[in-house]
Amino acid sequence: MGKVGFGLAVGCAVASCAIAATLVSRRVKSRRKWNRVVGVLRELEEGCSTSIGRLRQVVDAMAVEMHAGLASEGGSKLKMLLTFVDNLPDGNEKGTYYALDLGGTNFRVLRVQLGGKESRIIGHEVERQPIPQHLMTSTSEDLFDFIASAVKEFVVREGDNSGLQLDRRRELGCTFSFPMKQLSVSSGLLIKWTKGFAIKDMVGKDVAECLQQALAKGGLDMRVATLVNDSVGALALGHYDDEDTVAAVIIGTGSNACYVERTDAIIKCQGLLTNSGGMVVNMEWGNFWSSHLPRTSYDMDLDAESPNPNDMGFEKMISGMYLGDIVRRVILRMAQELDVFGDVASKLSEPFILRTPLIAAMHEDESPDLVEVSRILKDTLGINDIPLKVRKLIVRVCDVVTRRAARLAAAGIVGILKKIGRDGSGGVASGRSKSVGESLSKIRRTVVVIEGGLYSNYEMFREYLDEAVAEILGEEVAQHVVLKVIEDGSGIGAALLAAAASHPSTSVAHDNVT
Ligand code: ADP
Ligand code: MG
């Protein structure tokens, strides 16, 4: 070999070494990046831990906060609002009643025909429409004029099928799912907006009065007979269907719960008298907070960037409005570690672009190649060609966030059962200790109704929640507790309450606190 040949051979060897070294270094770098992304997942899993021990702490905290909220005004982040509903429908209601349900995403108008004990609900019609985005931040007049005109169109379309003479006054039950200081069963002042609504001139106003004025302006002879929160409507339908129903939980865009409480346990309102001895209490549990809640940096960022920081902490961890955005924040963090996501400053940085139904679809993608995950990443976030192993990681993120939400909601439900002595422990208010055997033998069949798109449409969420309630209660107690999904309860229930308000009886069960 001549000098030139030798030189070439050495040159080639050096070059291949350099290429090999670059490849190895790239591989090492990419492995490091991958490890960092896996680290993001691990950290999330730890931060979202809902061990049974932690869930029990949340149960206790919920029961204790309920107590504090009932003891004094402002005694807890749980407002524990009086509803003045002491008369839940029992099946005797008769006639045609209307309802409207203003809750968050959709607005619904309903007509319900009630046939009394024998025929029950003869029929109901529902009309849904989305609330135009601009009305959520406009004026109260714009919002209620829109609602009144939708109600009027609904009434006009019914023709002669309503069984009502056209000149007869109609009775309306209104469901308004934002915190209200209730003045009576048919009036209440808006305390604050949640779920993205922000109509400033409305805060402090009587919601029923605004609606009544808009209906009158629209030329409709309709009386706002009841004004309730959606959870109260759901409880009304639950109780109408099954008298063992003691609580209702909403898990949709937002989250809330109500239950039947003994009036003498509502200490902040001494001397409160009702025919039944009980009253439905609207917990406004979206605002529940406890240091035992597993909170991550993603939750803190979401809260800090929301229009209502330090507010509705529980709702922000468990409800449909927020779960998608928590997942988006985690994916964004992963994208900052790994360059397969492309330009991370793009759509992934847009708040609320990833809606909860989409995380449900990714989570429930059963195809081996996760084609649905690919499609959603591409169509919604503009991210193409994500490797399968990264897609799998994203599914895990959906799982972790959803599982935490469902299990925390479950702990909240058991917290209510504990407060009213239906969890097998004797209740926090009992003031005397009981043996476990004595408590167990006293557990009565207990129904909790659950309404809302997150619970009813997202199967994995539902399974996690149901499973956690059984896990916390234990097998023996869990067999007495029925979780029942209901639909349109908040609307139909409002119509039932309007009917019950017209013909009151004394049907609220009130012997639930031991
Ligand atoms: P609202 O709470 O506005 O009265 P719904 O009870 O119908 O309305 O709940 C709608 C919410 O439920 C949506 O905002 C969404 O977060 C959630 N949701 C609806 N469908 C699904 C789904 N398939 N998977 C997961 N979440 C869903
Ligand atoms: Mg609703």
Side-chain angles (χ1 to χ4, degrees), residues 58-375:
V58 175
V59 168
D60 290 347
M62 180 65 84
V64 167
E65 291 297 319
M66 289 171 76
H67 222 265
L70 290 173
S72 64
E73 206 70 62
S76 163
K77 290 201 96 170
L78 287 183
K79 285 203 166 358
M80 305 300 284
L81 301 168
L82 301 186
T83 62
F84 296 95
V85 173
D86 61 333
N87 176 38
L88 284 173
D90 56 9
N92 288 312
E93 298 73 16
K94 264 190 181 169
T96 299
Y97 293 86
Y98 294 80
L100 68 83
D101 178 359
L102 179 62
T105 317
N106 291 307
F107 157 66
R108 301 167 176 88
V109 193
L110 298 94
R111 187 175 58 239
V112 183
Q113 278 177 288
L114 305 170
K117 218 46 175 190
E118 296 305 314
S119 336
R120 316 289 290 183
I121 297 176
I122 300 167
H124 81 275
E125 282 152 72
V126 190
E127 205 170 87
R128 279 177 203 149
Q129 47 178 300
I131 299 161
Q133 192 79 25
H134 70 276
L135 289 181
M136 293 165 67
T137 50
S138 176
T139 63
S140 55
E141 200 175 347
D142 286 350
L143 178 69
F144 283 99
D145 283 352
F146 165 78
I147 291 168
S149 80
V151 176
K152 188 171 183 188
E153 276 171 34
F154 181 79
V155 169
V156 167
R157 263 197 306 277
E158 79 192 0
D160 290 335
N161 301 331
S162 70
L164 276 184
Q165 287 147 5
L166 279 172
D167 56 353
R168 217 200 85 176
R169 167 176 269 209
R170 288 159 167 80
E171 300 278 319
L172 177 82
C174 174
T175 300
F176 186 76
S177 316
F178 301 91
M180 281 182 293
K181 182 173 172 45
Q182 214 73 54
L183 303 175
S184 70
V185 75
S186 59
S187 61
L189 311 178
L190 175 67
I191 296 174
K192 63 179 178 185
W193 288 108
T194 54
K195 297 177 276 192
F197 278 74
I199 303 171
K200 283 213 183 76
D201 76 294
M202 184 72 207
V203 176
K205 277 194 189 164
D206 185 343
V207 178
E209 206 176 292
C210 292
L211 175 62
Q212 193 69 73
Q213 277 169 5
L215 289 168
K217 202 162 102 184
L220 203 56
D221 190 11
M222 193 175 251
R223 183 178 80 102
V224 183
T226 50
L227 175 69
V228 292
N229 175 274
D230 50 357
S231 60
V232 180
L235 181 61
L237 180 60
H239 191 267
Y240 181 85
D241 285 343
D242 187 332
E243 291 192 354
D244 289 337
T245 306
V246 297
V249 178
I250 301 290
I251 315 181
T253 308
S255 186
N256 191 14
C258 71
Y259 72 107
V260 182
E261 183 57 278
R262 264 183 12 195
T263 44
D264 61 3
I266 309 176
I267 300 159
K268 65 183 173 185
C269 210
Q270 285 200 348
L272 184 67
L273 282 178
T274 62
N275 288 336
S276 64
M279 181 177 284
V280 177
V281 172
N282 166 17
M283 293 173 63
E284 286 298 332
W285 91 352
N287 202 34
F288 168 65
W289 191 252
S290 154
S291 57
H292 298 299
L293 291 171
R295 198 180 197 208
T296 66
S297 59
Y298 308 105
D299 301 301
M300 293 178 206
D301 292 348
L302 183 148
D303 181 54
E305 290 164 29
S306 70
N308 54 344
N310 293 319
D311 199 27
M312 306 302 277
F314 196 46
E315 178 166 276
K316 284 172 180 162
M317 288 172 109
I318 67 169
S319 83
M321 172 145 182
Y322 302 101
L323 296 194
D325 206 54
I326 299 173
V327 170
R328 176 192 69 82
R329 286 166 188 275
V330 183
I331 302 178
L332 179 61
R333 175 77 208 288
M334 289 179 158
Q336 284 155 353
E337 300 289 356
L338 203 64
D339 32 23
V340 295
F341 288 89
D343 178 12
V344 294
S346 64
K347 288 187 173 173
L348 202 43
S349 306
E350 219 176 278
F352 295 100
I353 192 166
L354 193 60
R355 299 265 159 199
T356 301
L358 295 177
I359 73 158
M362 294 200 284
H363 193 190
E364 295 177 340
D365 184 356
E366 284 181 349
S367 65
D369 293 337
L370 299 177
V371 284
E372 188 61 10
V373 178
S374 291
R375 192 190 61 74

Side-chain angles (χ1 to χ4, degrees), residues 287-479:
N287 202 34
F288 168 65
W289 191 252
S290 154
S291 57
H292 298 299
L293 291 171
R295 198 180 197 208
T296 66
S297 59
Y298 308 105
D299 301 301
M300 293 178 206
D301 292 348
L302 183 148
D303 181 54
E305 290 164 29
S306 70
N308 54 344
N310 293 319
D311 199 27
M312 306 302 277
F314 196 46
E315 178 166 276
K316 284 172 180 162
M317 288 172 109
I318 67 169
S319 83
M321 172 145 182
Y322 302 101
L323 296 194
D325 206 54
I326 299 173
V327 170
R328 176 192 69 82
R329 286 166 188 275
V330 183
I331 302 178
L332 179 61
R333 175 77 208 288
M334 289 179 158
Q336 284 155 353
E337 300 289 356
L338 203 64
D339 32 23
V340 295
F341 288 89
D343 178 12
V344 294
S346 64
K347 288 187 173 173
L348 202 43
S349 306
E350 219 176 278
F352 295 100
I353 192 166
L354 193 60
R355 299 265 159 199
T356 301
L358 295 177
I359 73 158
M362 294 200 284
H363 193 190
E364 295 177 340
D365 184 356
E366 284 181 349
S367 65
D369 293 337
L370 299 177
V371 284
E372 188 61 10
V373 178
S374 291
R375 192 190 61 74
I376 291 169
L377 291 175
K378 181 164 167 277
D379 294 354
T380 310
L381 301 175
I383 304 171
N384 293 308
D385 306 323
I386 289 279
L388 181 60
K389 67 175 183 178
V390 182
R391 300 206 291 274
K392 284 186 178 164
L393 220 57
I394 290 174
V395 173
R396 277 293 302 148
V397 173
C398 298
D399 183 67
V400 172
V401 171
T402 296
R403 184 167 182 271
R404 177 186 69 162
R407 287 171 72 79
L408 292 180
I413 292 172
V414 180
I416 301 175
L417 298 182
K418 181 167 186 133
K419 170 69 182 73
I420 60 176
R422 300 275 187 126
D423 71 328
S425 72
V428 290
S430 64
R432 63 193 170 96
S433 56
K434 290 177 181 170
S435 70
V436 176
E438 190 191 345
S439 296
L440 281 178
S441 66
K442 282 203 165 167
I443 297 178
R444 290 173 31 200
R445 182 173 173 273
T446 297
V447 180
V448 177
V449 289
I450 308 182
E451 169 160 337
L454 186 62
Y455 185 77
S456 58
N457 298 331
Y458 192 171
E459 201 178 327
M460 294 290 284
F461 182 97
R462 195 164 61 244
E463 279 174 14
Y464 278 141
L465 189 152
D466 293 359
E467 187 184 270
V469 166
E471 193 183 333
I472 307 169
L473 287 174
E475 209 180 309
E476 204 147 353
V477 180
Q479 61 190 339

